[in-house]
Amino acid sequence: MTLNHLNLTVNNVTDAAHFFQTYLGFTAANDHQPNEAMAILTGPDGFLLVLMHNRFNDKGNSTYPDAFHIGFYLPDQAAVHHIWQQLHDGGIALTETPRRIRKTFGFYFQYDNILIEITTPGKD
C-alpha cells in the first residue's frame, strides 16, 4: 500500500500553494493549476499534496489538534540551515532556529494553521 496524498485545509490556498512551491519544492500537478479554492501539488518525490480552502469544512472545524504536524526530512544539517535561512529571508515567521530535537536536528514553525517540522538525522 502506498500513501497517495495528504489533504490540508488552509485559510488562503493561493498563498499556501506559493509557500509550498517556493520553499518546499512542490510544483503544480500537471492537470491542475492552483486557484483560490484548491491546489494540487506534487512534491519532489512525487507525493501529492492537496490544499483546500477552509470553507470546505462543512462542520466548521478548521483547526488541527495541537500535536498534528507535517514533517520534511532533509539529507543533512546544512540543508536544514539552508531552508531555515530561505524561510527567514522570505519573511516567514520563525520562532526558533535549528537545534537538536530528540534524535534529529531541525526546527518547527507555523504556516497558515499548519505546524511544519524540518529535520535531518542528528549527530550523536
Side-chain angles (χ1 to χ4, degrees), residues 16-103:
H18 176 75
F19 167 81
F20 280 97
Q21 291 173 311
T22 301
Y23 300 106
L24 300 176
F26 284 80
T27 58
N30 291 338
D31 58 347
H32 182 82
Q33 287 300 312
N35 59 53
E36 66 181 34
M38 181 170 48
I40 302 172
L41 306 175
T42 304
D45 61 352
F47 182 77
L48 289 177
L49 176 64
V50 179
L51 303 171
M52 293 181 72
H53 194 279
N54 279 331
R55 71 175 176 257
F56 292 107
N57 289 322
D58 294 333
K59 296 181 181 176
N61 181 5
S62 60
T63 59
Y64 296 107
D66 295 342
F68 175 85
H69 68 279
I70 59 174
F72 294 91
Y73 215 53
L74 298 175
D76 55 41
Q77 290 185 14
V80 171
H81 282 292
H82 179 74
I83 291 289
W84 186 93
Q85 192 64 53
Q86 284 186 308
L87 292 164
H88 179 267
D89 292 349
I92 304 300
L94 302 170
T95 58
E96 59 183 63
T97 57
R99 61 183 167 78
R100 186 163 176 79
I101 304 170
R102 295 172 303 282
K103 293 185 178 190

